[in-house]
Amino acid sequence: MAKTAKPAAANGEQIVLSIDIGGSHVKILTSTGGEERRVDSGPGLTPRQMIAAVKTLAEGLPYDVISMGYPGPVNHNRPLMDPANLGKGWAGFDFAAAFGKPVKVVNDALMQAIGSYEGGRMLFLGLGTGLGAAMIVDNVAQPMELAHLPYRKGGSFEDYVGERGLEKRGKKKWRKYVFDVVDRLRAAMQPDYVVIGGGNVDKLDELPVDSRRGDNTRAFEGGFRLWRDKSLIV
């Protein structure tokens, strides 16, 4: 049983509800602490079903504003297209109207990147079903659609380092391609450091040079920073 969050801080700071939407689960956590709450998602999940599920998950939790990590490109707080691994109706959906609260929506890789950021020039790569990517340079955060750039033999980066590549070629070759892709992107982007997150980072026993391991729970921290970090430009 998840804990009930504590009441708002004495300084009157807004309580942020972070929502991390994935192909397997929708997960929530508020900025007051407590434990993550989650519900199954899946290929039929519509935005209205997600909202109903989140409202049920969040019963008993006070919150003032919402941050949402969405598995796809976002513009002006609305998804640009339906995600490959969820249901229909996401593109252009007005989440603020549906929740009745202010909502900031960003790409899910960007939300985890923001939560992982420690200054300077950071490249974030999320190894999951596909390949998520974001770059933050001196507090300016930018989602990046790198997954479908051409790579080898007519395939894309995602074809080799995403879930399909892992299943098709096995862990040993997949690790080799991860290192190669990270090296290529580092050469192009010139980051000070690389954070590698996503569900499959645990399958790397070693990491490329100047890289550190990310943590999916940092997505929640990214959601909190979207509202609280005034130096952040998204």
Side-chain angles (χ1 to χ4, degrees):
M1 184 78 177
K3 297 176 184 176
T4 302
K6 298 173 185 177
N11 61 11
E13 199 170 51
Q14 286 181 319
I15 299 174
V16 184
L17 173 67
S18 270
I19 305 171
D20 186 14
I21 302 169
S24 302
H25 298 95
V26 175
K27 298 173 283 188
I28 70 167
L29 186 72
T30 74
S31 54
T32 55
E35 293 182 0
E36 170 192 303
R37 300 180 180 190
R38 61 170 59 195
V39 66
D40 291 343
S41 57
L45 187 73
T46 67
R48 294 197 181 280
Q49 288 171 342
M50 182 277 294
I51 289 164
V54 166
K55 287 181 175 179
T56 299
L57 280 180
E59 284 179 2
L61 298 176
Y63 56 95
D64 305 303
V65 295
I66 297 170
S67 294
M68 186 181 306
Y70 173 76
V74 173
N75 192 29
H76 301 303
N77 289 317
R78 299 191 188 191
L80 287 177
M81 60 183 69
D82 289 341
N85 53 356
L86 298 176
K88 302 297 184 185
W90 296 83
F93 193 88
D94 187 345
F95 293 98
F99 274 110
K101 291 182 182 288
V103 179
K104 291 185 178 182
V105 186
V106 296
N107 171 263
D108 57 350
L110 182 62
M111 196 160 90
Q112 190 176 150
I114 291 168
S116 306
Y117 183 58
E118 295 180 356
R121 297 173 59 90
M122 182 194 77
L123 173 64
F124 175 85
L125 298 172
L127 302 175
T129 305
L131 173 66
M135 187 91 183
I136 305 180
V137 179
D138 297 334
N139 292 309
V140 179
Q142 180 65 44
M144 308 189 81
E145 292 296 323
L146 303 178
H148 302 296
L149 291 177
Y151 179 43
R152 295 169 58 93
K153 300 177 182 178
S156 66
F157 285 142
E158 183 171 279
D159 292 331
Y160 281 79
V161 302
E163 189 75 42
R164 289 191 308 273
L166 175 61
E167 291 172 355
K168 181 177 179 180
R169 297 178 183 89
K171 193 180 292 184
K172 185 176 179 180
K173 286 186 176 179
W174 174 82
R175 287 172 174 167
K176 184 185 78 169
Y177 290 127
V178 168
F179 270 64
D180 185 51
V181 167
V182 171
D183 285 345
R184 289 170 185 249
L185 293 176
R186 184 192 294 107
M189 308 295 181
Q190 295 292 299
D192 298 323
Y193 58 102
V194 181
V195 174
I196 304 175
N200 284 334
V201 69
D202 292 340
K203 295 180 174 66
L204 293 173
D205 51 2
E206 297 179 4
L207 294 178
V209 65
D210 294 328
S211 298
R212 63 179 170 83
R213 202 175 296 272
D215 183 335
N216 284 348
T217 62
R218 300 303 296 176
F220 295 126
E221 175 63 25
F224 306 151
R225 288 184 184 179
L226 280 172
W227 288 97
R228 293 183 166 182
D229 187 344
K230 302 305 181 187
S231 66
L232 188 68
I233 300 170
V234 180

